[in-house]
Amino acid sequence: MLNIKNLKASVGDVEILKGIDLLIKSGELHAVMGPNGSGKSTLCHVVMGNENFTHEGVIEVNDKNITNMKQNERYNSGVFQSFQYPVGLPGVTLLEFALNINPELTEGEISELAKKFNVVEFLDREVNVDLSGGEKKRCELFQLALSNPNIALLDEIDSGLDIDAIKSVAELINKNRDSKTSYLIVTHYSRILKYLEVDQVHIIVNGKIAKSGSKELIEEVDSGGYTQY
Ligand SMILES: Nc1ncnc2c1ncn2[C@@H]1O[C@H](COP(=O)(O)OP(=O)(O)O)[C@@H](O)[C@H]1O
Ligand SMILES: [Mg+2]
């Protein structure tokens, strides 16, 4: 569960998030949509504890206050972020990385999970090096499953993907959903949301939630764009 109360975030003197309230209950999937530069990535970064931003307000994960925690403590409290542009880790294979993410798993268990996420062929290759966009996103979701978080922040997991890759990424998210993990999915476009069970949609404009609602909001955005908010 993720509970955010009156979250404000700034870089230097510039306020980017201007008071966000958001409750994502355990197992729910919420979509955050909005125009470029509205603060969607900032919201993910600030929940993850990125130190480029100063913030005020309250962030709770499963009733634990993580507002003043450092990034690694937040990770240990069950916050996982997948990046819009996953970074490569030259010199580290995906298998080594996987063993590091979840040391309790055996190599056999990791291989099984890798099959589920269609990343077996990447296990002995360097993390995110020379992979296509879709392959990187599958690896990100594999890492998500390994870390078994309470809250997964997926920032534009659909960006740069062709329609088939978007569908397969959505299928992997669906396969992995359970009653424990909450999802915050950031996207510009409705395409990926058509394949997901979305509990709530939030439209962020200029650092604030302009409107929240059910799946119908996706249609509203599709037909009227973001200028209506
Ligand atoms: N590190 C930063 N330094 C200065 N401004 C930033 C920084 N990160 C984000 N911003 C600004 O904050 C606003 C929101 O950015 P962002 O959260 O990336 O938007 P979105 O993901 O919705 O496109 C933008 O105007 C962006 O330029
Ligand atoms: Mg962004």
Side-chain angles (χ1 to χ4, degrees), residues 31-42:
V32 169
M33 304 181 79
N36 267 318
S38 56
K40 305 181 299 297
S41 292
T42 300

Side-chain angles (χ1 to χ4, degrees), residues 11 16 35-43 52-53 84 156 188:
V11 174
I16 299 169
N36 267 318
S38 56
K40 305 181 299 297
S41 292
T42 300
L43 175 62
N52 291 331
F53 303 89
Q84 193 170 345
E156 297 202 26
H188 283 285

